[in-house]
Structure formats: C-alpha cells, structure tokens
Amino acid sequence: MGGTATAMMNLKLHVWRQTSPGSKGKMVTYDATDVSPDMSFLEMLDVVNEVLIEKGEEPIAFDHDCREGICGSCGMMINGIAHGPQGGTTACQLHMRHFRDGDEVYIEPWRSTVFPVIKDLVVDRTAFDRIVSAGGYISVNTGSAPDANEIPVAKTDADVAFDAAACIGCGACVAQCPNGAAQLFTAAKVSHLGILPQGQPERWQRVVDMVEQMESEGFGSCSNHYECEAVCPKEISTDFIARMNRDYLKASLTYR
Ligand code: SF4
Ligand code: FES
C-alpha cells in the first residue's frame, strides 16, 4: 500500500485534576506524545492515561460512553470552548487533526455550579434528569403497539420536533453560557413533545413544570448571549427557547 506516513504530534496538556467533589482541584501539566491526527480527543486522553497508569499514577477521569456523538456522556471545556473548537461536534467526535504539533491545550470540566465536579472532568448532571422527570414524557395507555400512521403528523411538525429531539443532554449549553442558563436544553426537551400531536394533552402543564424545575435547580437566566447555540454539538436552535417562552407565558396566563 502506498501513501504518506501520518505525522504524529506532541502536545502539552493542562488538565483539571480534582480527587473528589469537596477537594481542592488544580491544573496539572502532561505531555501527550505520538498523537495521531486520526485519534479522537478521547482516544488521545486514553493514551495519556495509559502512560499515567504505567507510572502508577491516577488516570484522568472523564465521562464517555458511545464515542459516536449520540449519548451525551462526554463533554469538557477544551481551550475554553465546550466540546472544543470544532462546531457541531462532541468531544468524542473531535479529531486531533484540528490541533497542531506543539499546541498547548487546556482541559477543564463543565463550568457550572449546578454541575458540581465529581472527579477531574466528570460532573454531576442529574439536574438535567430532574428537569426531564418533571415533564419530558407523554402519558399513554400501555398495550399493543398502535398501528403505523394512526396519528397523522404534519411533515413540517415532524421535522421541527426531530430537530429538538436531537438534543443529547450533554450540558455544553449550560457550560458555555456566561449565566449558566439551561434554557436551550429545557426548550429542546419541552418542544420535541410539545410540537407533536401525541404531546398536546400535557403540553401546557409540561412547559410550566419543566421550566419551574429548571429554575429551582439554580441555573441562571437567559439573556440572549447565544453561546449555547454556538457550542451545541447538535446545533439546536435558540428558536426553541422563544417557542418555550411563548408556551410558558400562554400556559401561565391561561391554564393556571
Ligand atoms: S441543547 Fe445542545 S448543548 Fe445543550 S444539552 Fe442539548 S445537545 Fe447538549
Ligand atoms: S461519548 Fe457519547 S456523545 Fe460523546
């Protein structure tokens, strides 16, 4: 086989290390050597961790699962940007070809007091679970599967609902927002059911319950910085925030 050998890179990493939720953390510098441009960012961390383990040191803890951009587990601030420099891309899908030999890379956990650090780059995102529990469902009778196309859904509604449903719950929107607001996530979860016919019976109660749960968790308020949309790996539009606010206002005025 022909072809050119891939140039390996050496990087200097500055990584947030914190042994437990209550402990004091600090940035620690590591050399990442022989990094292939074809590695993902997480694979690069795996290699660094193998070296740490060989030396008897504690590996860097970070969340991950699917490593294909669909589960929402991964996420870290990479040079101050949630999920790193490549738009529309999770940290697990970010490839090292977007970095250069000799780069210094600062890696920190999500920045949000509502997402406290558990260890190193791993944060507690159960606040998101509580928002979904407050209303991110529809109530249906169990039984056999409904016939296909029993409930007609307009193509335009299906498309918009699908765009909202693409949210993977990663938390990058909160981490990047200067206010630590969770509007983009909550709006995506409110909208993906609120747009579909199946979501109509609980539409108004859902938006009130989910927004109020979001507020009770201590997330900040949205003041239109649009940083959430800029870093969202699924490119969820802030239009959903406007939609959620309209539904919340209508529900508050009409149904309470
Ligand atoms: S809205 Fe985007 S950034 Fe926020 S949790 Fe969903 S996928 Fe992640
Ligand atoms: S590990 Fe699943 S989205 Fe990154």
Side-chain angles (χ1 to χ4, degrees):
M1 288 257 302
T4 325
T6 311
M8 301 298 251
M9 302 184 291
N10 295 321
L11 307 170
K12 195 168 281 299
L13 309 183
H14 304 278
V15 185
W16 183 259
R17 302 303 310 262
Q18 182 174 335
T19 51
S20 61
S23 64
K24 197 171 180 323
K26 63 173 192 292
M27 297 300 281
V28 179
T29 303
Y30 300 100
D31 288 318
T33 52
D34 293 331
V35 174
S36 160
D38 298 327
M39 284 178 184
S40 73
F41 200 82
L42 301 192
E43 285 167 343
M44 181 276 294
L45 287 179
D46 289 339
V47 172
V48 172
N49 276 344
E50 278 168 20
V51 175
L52 290 178
I53 292 165
E54 272 172 22
K55 288 200 289 189
E57 294 181 28
E58 188 73 16
I60 300 160
F62 60 90
D63 253 332
H64 59 105
D65 190 4
C66 70
R67 296 199 180 208
E68 54 186 28
I70 56 169
C71 76
S73 298
C74 70
M76 55 196 75
M77 306 300 293
I78 301 170
N79 286 340
I81 302 172
H83 287 299
Q86 195 66 12
T89 306
T90 53
C92 61
Q93 290 280 289
L94 175 66
H95 286 91
M96 295 312 296
R97 54 181 166 268
H98 299 295
F99 296 85
R100 297 226 171 111
D101 185 39
D103 272 358
E104 296 206 26
V105 185
Y106 290 78
I107 309 170
E108 303 160 76
W110 281 164
R111 296 169 174 170
S112 166
T113 51
V114 187
F115 294 156
V117 172
I118 296 172
K119 186 176 182 181
D120 298 337
L121 306 173
V122 179
V123 299
D124 179 352
R125 285 173 286 189
T126 50
F128 270 10
D129 298 339
R130 289 188 290 272
I131 294 172
V132 171
S133 298
Y137 53 81
I138 56 167
S139 301
V140 290
N141 293 326
T142 55
S144 59
D147 287 341
N149 302 324
E150 193 179 40
I151 302 173
V153 182
K155 173 79 166 72
T156 45
D157 289 346
D159 287 349
V160 179
F162 188 82
D163 287 347
C167 167
I168 54 174
C170 63
C173 45
V174 174
Q176 197 70 34
C177 175
N179 303 334
Q183 254 83 359
L184 193 64
F185 165 78
T186 309
K189 297 302 175 196
V190 164
S191 301
H192 108 244
L193 295 171
I195 289 165
L196 293 172
Q198 295 91 330
Q200 296 310 307
E202 289 150 307
R203 174 173 174 180
W204 309 106
Q205 192 62 46
R206 173 184 306 112
V207 67
V208 170
D209 290 347
M210 292 182 79
V211 167
E212 292 185 352
Q213 185 63 39
M214 172 190 79
E215 288 174 349
S216 74
E217 294 290 344
F219 291 107
S221 298
C222 174
S223 54
N224 299 323
H225 283 272
Y226 298 101
E227 297 275 324
C228 54
E229 187 181 81
V231 297
C232 174
K234 297 296 150 184
E235 301 178 323
I236 306 283
S237 166
T238 46
D239 290 352
F240 288 115
I241 299 178
R243 190 191 171 283
M244 175 179 73
N245 289 344
R246 283 196 300 274
D247 267 18
Y248 181 75
L249 185 63
K250 185 172 175 188
S252 306
L253 295 175
T254 317
Y255 295 94
R256 308 184 84 198

